[in-house]
Structures are given as C-alpha cells and as structure tokens.
Amino acid sequence: MDTKQNTALLRALTELPGPLSARGVIHIAIRHTDRFTVVGNDLAQHPGLSTTAVGFAVRIQSLPQGTEVGIKALAARFPEGEKLIAAALRELEAHGYLQRARTRLPNGRIVTRTVFCNQPAALLRPRAAATPPQLPPAARPITTHAQASEPTVKPEASPEPDPQPEPTPDPPAPLAAPPQAAAPPFVRLVPPPTAPKPPRPPLPRPRELTPELERISTALLSGLRHHAPQFTLSEEHVRELVPGVAAWLERDAHPDTIRHTLTINAPEPVNYPYQFVKHRLTVLLPPPLPGAHDLTPPPARRNPVTPFQTCDGCERAFRAPTPGHCRDCRTEDEQRATAA
C-alpha cells in the first residue's frame, strides 16, 4: 500500500526559488503572525545540551510569566516522567539557562522561584553604552556622489512649467508601547502569623464531682510520675486537672486506660507536662457507653392482616375489615335494586 503524500507540502516545494538541495533538510519557512516564540540557535544547536533539555528549554520559554515550571508541574503538563524532567532541568542549570532559588514571602511561606534566560552568555558580556536613536531608513537624507559634485549655480535653461512638488511622506508615527497586563491580585492562601488563633476547647467536667471521683482522679494524676518521671505535676496542676479525669471515670473509663492514654507515645522530653495532659484529656475524651435501650434493635414492622369475615347472606368466608356481605352478594343486591 502506497504511503499517503502531503499534497500541500509538495506544492510548497515547487514554489521555492532556486534549485533544491539533493540531500539533507529543506526548509519551508512561513512567517508567524501570532502565537510564536523566538528561539536562538545558541540554544537550539547547543552542543552540550541533550535534545530533551533543549525541548524543555523551548517549552519553558514559550510559557507566560508566572507559570509553575517545577518538576511536578511539568510532569502533569507533558508526557515525560519526573526523572527525565529533573535531569533536563539540571542540564539547563549547569549551562546557565535556568536558576532555581528558594525565597521567603512576606507571609513567611517559602517558595521556589525559577528564572529562565534565553541567552546566558549575553549576561557575561560588558554592556555597551547607550547610543542615540537611529532614524528609520525612510527619514534619512540620501546623498549620492552625483549630487555632491553638482555645482551650486545652474545654467539658465528654457522655461519649463514648474513641476508640482512631490508630497513629503509623513514621518512614521512612534510605536506605542504594548499595554502591560495588570498583575493578578495577591491571594493569601495561609493565614498570617499574627492571625488570632481559635480558642482552645475547655477541660471536660463531670455532671457531678463526687468525693469518690475526686479521690481516684487525684491519686491517678499524682501517681503518673511513677510510670513516667517526665509527668511530674505540681499540686496546683493536679487540682486543676481533677475534673478532666473525673469526666473520663464518669464515662466508665478504667484508671489503667486513662494512665496509658496520657503517657503513651509522649515526646522526649515533655517540656510542659500540665499542658500535655490537659490537651489529651480534652481531645481524646471517649464518648459515653451506650445503654441497654440503645443496643435494643427496633421492632420489626409487620404489614396489617385483614381478618376473615362471614357473609351475612351466603355465609361464605371473605376478608374484610368489618362484617357484612361478600362481593357476590353485594352485586346481586345492586342488580335487584336496578331491576326494580
């Protein structure tokens, strides 16, 4: 089966001026008018960069300002994997095309800022002094050799009609600066460090602090230092934490369970044992145990059963909510009433 030919490409080849090359690439250059990016040969033909790195450099150069160009952002946009993208970015960094630096924003957040330069070698060359603006070719005075050697006084010639003065072309209007797009408004994604923090939940309290609950809670808090020396509480802190332990005991929590919950997986060291114990008593409070009525399954719903009735006329059994006649007897009574 023959390969399908591109007729438009073949027609464009016939319109190229001059003889075509017998081998190698033949360029058909069509001028771009919109949506294009200028790429220099120092990047496109860089001998030290791989084709993958050159491709990603062109893609990054074509993206608008502010576009995320991290490894994960590029992997989500293009089919290459993260390892290949990371290797290409390292190549561009090594040759000066790309620079990544961590920057702290005013709100304290640390972000990675990426800077891309299309000609890193030009940054190393000394800057030339500012030159006066050159006039466009249309506005420059043209002086030829013949005009320079022409005498200032011309001989008299036969009178001829005065030629009409040629209209002077208007000077080209200055190019207006392209309108700059307004920067997008800054949207704060995290609260500032000075934002007010939400109030902490209060320490749980029992419905009634009985002397028995108070005695067990005090003994449990005072004995924490025997199980973990870092949980040594002062007498005042023990008195303040007693209602929280009493709330756990009121919900049928065993003292060993409370002690294990307060001391398990504690950091080393515990700098503020009072705050640590208060936080766990508040956040890890178990729910009340369900009662017997909570565990009783709901009664099964039954469909109402229509009882049997005995017909007053033919004494036949039929289903009906109230006594009376069956359907046949009611039909015969209606027919007799109609005939009469």
Side-chain angles (χ1 to χ4, degrees):
M1 185 174 182
D2 296 338
T3 304
K4 188 175 182 180
Q5 300 291 333
N6 190 344
T7 57
L9 191 60
L10 295 177
R11 185 172 62 253
L13 284 175
T14 60
E15 297 175 358
L16 290 178
L20 299 179
S21 175
R23 63 179 62 184
V25 65
I26 300 174
H27 292 283
I28 299 177
I30 301 175
R31 184 179 180 84
H32 290 281
T33 58
D34 58 352
R35 300 187 73 250
F36 64 94
T37 302
V38 179
V39 180
N41 285 340
D42 55 342
L43 172 62
Q45 301 177 6
H46 198 288
L49 289 176
S50 64
T51 307
T52 304
V54 173
F56 275 103
V58 174
R59 287 187 168 183
I60 293 174
Q61 189 174 346
S62 66
L63 295 176
Q65 293 275 11
T67 305
E68 292 289 340
V69 291
I71 296 175
K72 293 188 178 298
L74 292 176
R77 181 187 294 266
F78 304 121
E80 288 79 4
E82 294 185 5
K83 291 185 179 180
L84 189 61
I85 294 175
L89 295 184
R90 285 195 297 267
E91 286 187 51
L92 296 176
E93 279 187 306
H95 289 83
Y97 287 91
L98 192 71
Q99 181 181 2
R100 291 178 289 186
R102 300 179 68 84
T103 307
R104 184 182 296 273
L105 298 179
N107 59 358
R109 183 183 178 187
I110 298 178
V111 297
T112 300
R113 177 172 294 173
T114 304
V115 180
F116 182 86
C117 179
N118 60 345
Q119 295 188 53
L123 298 178
L124 304 178
R125 293 197 292 265
R127 302 292 180 88
T131 57
Q134 299 291 337
L135 294 176
R140 295 177 186 173
I142 302 176
T143 304
T144 61
H145 179 71
Q147 291 175 348
S149 60
E150 197 174 49
T152 56
V153 179
K154 297 182 179 180
E156 296 182 0
S158 59
E160 295 180 358
D162 296 336
Q164 295 294 333
E166 297 182 358
T168 304
D170 296 335
L175 297 178
Q180 297 183 357
F186 176 74
V187 180
R188 188 181 297 276
L189 301 180
V190 295
T194 57
K197 297 182 179 179
R200 295 181 178 180
L203 185 71
R205 293 183 174 276
R207 292 191 300 269
E208 181 183 0
L209 184 59
T210 62
E212 184 68 15
L213 290 177
E214 184 176 4
R215 179 184 63 81
I216 300 176
S217 301
T218 303
L220 189 147
L221 293 170
S222 302
L224 285 179
R225 61 178 181 268
H226 293 296
H227 301 273
Q230 52 189 343
F231 285 95
T232 301
L233 301 172
S234 65
E235 188 174 357
E236 180 180 359
H237 288 165
V238 169
R239 285 197 300 268
E240 293 180 3
L241 295 175
V242 160
V245 179
W248 282 60
L249 295 172
E250 191 179 53
R251 300 191 176 193
D252 295 335
H254 196 273
D256 293 338
T257 304
I258 301 175
R259 188 182 300 108
H260 178 77
T261 304
L262 296 179
T263 58
I264 190 66
N265 294 332
E268 292 288 345
V270 180
N271 296 324
Y272 303 98
Y274 166 73
Q275 298 291 347
F276 186 83
V277 174
K278 180 180 179 181
H279 174 74
R280 289 202 168 184
L281 287 175
T282 305
V283 176
L284 303 180
L285 179 67
L289 291 178
H293 61 281
D294 297 329
L295 299 177
T296 304
R301 298 183 58 183
R302 297 181 178 179
N303 296 328
V305 179
T306 305
F308 281 102
Q309 306 290 345
T310 302
C311 178
D312 296 339
C314 61
E315 296 185 357
R316 185 171 56 182
F318 67 99
R319 289 186 180 273
T322 57
H325 294 82
C326 63
R327 183 185 303 173
D328 296 339
C329 294
R330 291 197 301 271
T331 304
E332 293 177 358
D333 292 342
E334 292 174 1
Q335 290 178 354
R336 284 196 297 269
T338 304

